[in-house]
Amino acid sequence: MLPRIYLTTTLPYVNADPHLGFAFEVVTADIVARYRRLFGHEVFFNTGTDEHGVKVYRAAAGRDLQAYVDDYAGRFQKLKATLNLTHDHFSRTTDPRHTNAAQEFWRRCAAAGDIYRKNYPVKYCVGCELEKTDSELDAGRCPIHPMLTPELIEEENYFFRFSKYQKPLLELYRSRPDFVVPATRLHEIRSFVERGLEDFSISRLASKMPWGIPVPDDPSQTMYVWFDALVNYISAIGWPNDLEKFEKWWPVIQFAGKDNLRQQAAMWQAMLLSASSVSRDGSAGLPPSKQIVIHGFVISGGQKMSKSLGNVIDPTTLVEAYGTDAVRYFLARHIEPFEDTDVTLQRFKEIYNANLANGLGNLVSRVMKMASDHLPRPAAVKKRAITDFPDLLEPLARYELNRALDLIWRHVGLHDAYIQETKPFNLIKTEPDKAREIITKLVQGLADLAVVLEPFLPQTAAAITDLIRENKPPAKPLFPRK
C-alpha cells in the first residue's frame, strides 16, 4: 500500500494580512503535497489561521472580535485561489470542533498530572506570544521583535510540566535523526532541551485576556494561545471524535519557521507525550509528529518582514502584477529553504524577466512556433511521469525545492543550447526531415518539462501540455516581459 502523507503549515495569527513569509511556507507545503500525489500517495494537507491570543485581541482594537477574525481568516482563505493551493482542510482555532478538541487535550494532560497552578512573574514578548528569559533577550528586547518592549506579567496561571519531558524528548531526537530538518535545527533544539526545561504557563486570567478557549472547569482562565493552537494538528483530522480518520492520517509532517522551533519540536511533542499517557477511549494514543521542517525567514532590508517595520511584501499584489506561477516559482527556487533570504521587488522583477520571460516562456514560444510551422500534425510525444526523472527525487525528498528547480532550469538551458547548435529553423530549407526530427525532439523536451513543472508551476505545466496537443504557439507569452 502506498504511503499516506499528512502535511500541515503553522497557523498564522490574524492580526495582519498575509505576507510573503507565510506564502513561502504554504507554497512549499503545497508543492510537496502535489508531488506526493503524483507519486500516487494519499495526501491530507492542512493550513489555517490562529485566531486567539494577545496580539489578535489588541489588534481588534475594540471591534467585535469574532467579526474581526472572520474578516482576516477570509483574507487567508483567499490565498487558496491566489497561490493555487490544494489544501484539504482550513483550520480555524475559533471553530467549535477545535475548541472541544483543545479542552479534551487539556483534560488528558491534567489527568496525567502535568497541569498545576502557581503564581509567577515573567517577561513576555507579545510578538512571539512566548515567555522570555533574560538570556533570550538582547539589550532587554526580543531579537525577533526588537520594536516591542517585553511585558512583565505577574499572575496565577496554570502551568504545563515541561520539565518532566527532558529525557523523553532527548530520546526522541536520538532515535530519529531526521525528526527535525535541517540537521542544524535538530542540533539546536537538542541543545535547548539538554540545558534543562522549565515548566511553562498555559493559561491567562480571563479578566485580562478573555479572547481564548476557556480552561475546562475554570472559566476564570483562558488557554494560552500556543497550547490551544498546536492542538489543531490533531483536531484537523478528527481527534478526538473521529478516531478512525485520526488514525488514518497521524502522524504529521509539519512546516514551520525557525521562530517556531521550540514550540513545534519540543513543547508540542511534550504535550503529545503527556496526553498519550492517559487513554480515555481505548485509542492508539498520540504518537509524536513524523517530521518537522524548519525554514528561515523571508526578510527585507536585513530584517524579518513585519507590519510594525513596514517592510512587508504582499503576495497578492505580486500575483496581480506577475501571475500565480511566477510567484510560486520565485518562492520555490529563489528563497533558500532553510536560511534567511532577503527579498526586494527589484530582485523579483530581474529574476522574473531572466528566468521566466526570457527563459522558459521564450523557449516554449520558439519551439511551438517551429512545431506549428513545420510539423504537419501534433508531435507524438511519449507520456512520462515524475517518477521517470530520478535526479529530482533526492532534492524533493530533502525539501530542497530550489535544487530541484535548478535541475529543471538546467534542462531549459540545454534545450536553448540545442536549438542554437542545430538551428532547425535554417535546416528546414535543406534537410526538412532532419529538421522535423529535431523539432519533435524539442517538443518532447517541453512535454517532459511540463511533467516535472507540474508541482511547482501547475498552470504553466497545463498550458504547455495544451499547446503541444493543439500544436500551436501561445497566443500571448506565458510570461510577458515586465
Side-chain angles (χ1 to χ4, degrees):
M1 185 175 67
L2 288 169
R4 295 187 179 109
I5 308 295
Y6 173 27
L7 308 169
T8 188
T9 68
T10 52
L11 303 190
Y13 289 116
V14 290
N15 65 322
D17 286 320
H19 60 66
L20 205 62
F22 178 67
F24 167 66
E25 182 175 306
V26 75
V27 165
T28 297
D30 184 71
I31 290 168
V32 173
R34 285 175 179 271
Y35 96 75
R36 291 284 196 169
R37 293 190 193 105
L38 291 175
F39 273 75
H41 299 167
E42 277 193 271
V43 175
F44 189 92
F45 173 19
N46 176 57
T47 187
T49 45
D50 186 352
E51 301 175 17
H52 292 133
V54 175
K55 283 201 292 191
V56 174
Y57 183 65
R58 292 180 179 174
R63 285 171 282 178
D64 178 83
L65 277 157
Q66 191 61 55
Y68 173 83
V69 298
D70 287 348
D71 175 37
Y72 271 93
R75 301 184 196 190
F76 279 89
Q77 286 173 315
K78 288 178 181 177
L79 288 180
K80 186 167 191 177
T82 301
L83 296 172
N84 197 4
L85 306 174
T86 58
H87 50 266
D88 303 284
H89 186 266
F90 189 92
S91 291
R92 294 187 59 186
T93 57
T94 55
D95 188 295
R97 288 171 296 182
H98 172 75
T99 296
N100 293 335
Q103 291 179 324
E104 175 61 16
F105 194 91
W106 178 289
R107 292 186 188 101
R108 296 197 187 196
C109 291
D114 291 334
I115 294 178
Y116 64 95
R117 290 182 71 144
K118 77 169 183 178
N119 190 282
Y120 79 114
V122 67
K123 291 177 181 176
Y124 187 79
C125 173
V126 172
C128 293
E129 293 275 17
L130 276 179
E131 300 157 9
K132 298 287 181 176
T133 63
D134 288 338
S135 64
E136 293 174 307
L137 301 176
D138 183 4
R141 298 289 181 109
C142 170
I144 298 174
H145 299 95
M147 304 295 288
L148 300 176
T149 302
E151 299 182 10
L152 184 64
I153 296 175
E154 184 167 5
E155 59 187 42
E156 185 176 59
N157 295 147
Y158 287 96
F159 275 70
F160 177 75
R161 225 177 280 279
F162 196 29
S163 55
K164 175 180 171 180
Y165 291 96
Q166 181 183 28
K167 288 184 179 179
L169 287 173
L170 291 175
E171 174 57 23
L172 172 64
Y173 306 149
R174 185 202 65 77
S175 64
R176 292 169 54 183
D178 64 344
F179 180 66
V180 178
V181 177
T184 52
R185 298 299 178 194
L186 178 63
H187 175 75
E188 183 180 335
I189 194 61
R190 183 192 294 115
S191 298
F192 169 78
V193 174
E194 285 174 342
R195 290 193 295 270
L197 300 176
E198 294 186 9
D199 299 348
F200 59 87
S201 171
I202 56 172
S203 73
R204 297 291 181 263
L205 284 174
S207 58
K208 294 182 179 179
M209 227 306 291
W211 186 241
I213 295 176
V215 167
D217 306 315
D218 188 353
S220 71
Q221 301 266 339
T222 54
M223 288 187 196
Y224 167 58
V225 65
W226 276 105
F227 191 96
D228 149 19
L230 290 165
V231 176
N232 100 89
Y233 298 154
I234 55 176
S235 66
I237 51 172
W239 190 90
N241 298 318
D242 188 347
L243 293 179
E244 182 179 353
K245 181 179 180 181
F246 169 74
E247 290 173 8
K248 174 181 177 179
W249 292 110
W250 190 259
V252 66
I253 298 172
Q254 300 166 211
F255 293 87
K258 66 182 185 180
D259 55 339
N260 272 247
L261 177 62
R262 185 197 312 181
Q263 299 93 308
Q264 307 289 332
M267 292 165 62
W268 174 229
Q269 305 311 315
M271 289 161 58
L272 287 168
L273 289 166
S274 174
S276 290
S277 66
V278 176
S279 177
R280 294 162 59 96
D281 46 32
S283 64
L286 294 163
S289 301
K290 182 175 182 179
Q291 194 171 50
I292 300 168
V293 184
I294 299 293
H295 59 80
F297 290 153
V298 178
I299 61 177
S300 184
Q303 292 181 293
K304 182 186 177 186
M305 287 188 183
S306 164
K307 182 180 178 182
S308 60
L309 294 175
N311 63 348
V312 168
I313 295 177
D314 179 4
T316 300
T317 302
L318 277 182
V319 167
E320 290 170 351
Y322 292 92
T324 295
D325 275 6
V327 175
R328 288 176 64 98
Y329 165 79
F330 181 86
L331 293 171
R333 190 181 183 200
H334 295 283
I335 304 293
E336 288 293 325
F338 306 126
E339 302 297 332
D340 294 352
T341 303
D342 206 316
V343 174
T344 65
L345 294 176
Q346 181 60 34
R347 180 167 177 259
F348 186 102
K349 181 178 180 179
E350 290 169 357
I351 287 170
Y352 169 89
N353 283 325
N355 296 350
L356 294 176
N358 296 342
L360 177 63
N362 186 53
L363 175 67
V364 172
S365 293
R366 292 178 74 189
V367 171
M368 292 315 302
K369 180 68 167 66
M370 289 188 288
S372 175
D373 288 347
H374 304 302
L375 298 183
R377 64 186 63 85
V381 296
K382 295 179 182 178
K383 292 184 178 180
R384 305 190 197 274
I386 196 167
T387 50
D388 294 325
F389 303 91
D391 55 340
L392 290 179
L393 304 189
E394 186 264 341
L396 285 173
R398 294 171 61 88
Y399 308 104
E400 295 174 352
L401 306 185
N402 58 338
R403 283 184 54 213
L405 280 169
D406 285 346
L407 291 170
I408 293 170
W409 249 257
R410 178 173 176 270
H411 286 281
V412 172
L414 289 173
H415 282 72
D416 277 329
Y418 184 63
I419 293 172
Q420 294 306 113
E421 175 189 341
T422 59
K423 295 183 171 55
F425 42 82
N426 291 335
L427 199 61
I428 195 73
K429 302 170 186 175
T430 57
E431 299 182 64
D433 289 344
K434 186 174 182 179
R436 292 188 186 100
E437 181 181 336
I438 292 169
I439 294 168
T440 299
K441 185 176 180 180
L442 287 166
V443 174
Q444 178 68 62
L446 289 187
D448 292 345
L449 283 172
V451 171
V452 296
L453 283 172
E454 186 175 343
F456 304 93
L457 283 68
Q459 293 174 345
T460 302
I464 293 171
T465 300
D466 289 344
L467 292 171
I468 292 171
R469 185 180 64 253
E470 297 166 6
N471 196 35
K472 67 180 185 182
K476 57 181 181 180
L478 295 181
F479 300 98
R481 279 190 58 82
K482 301 293 182 179

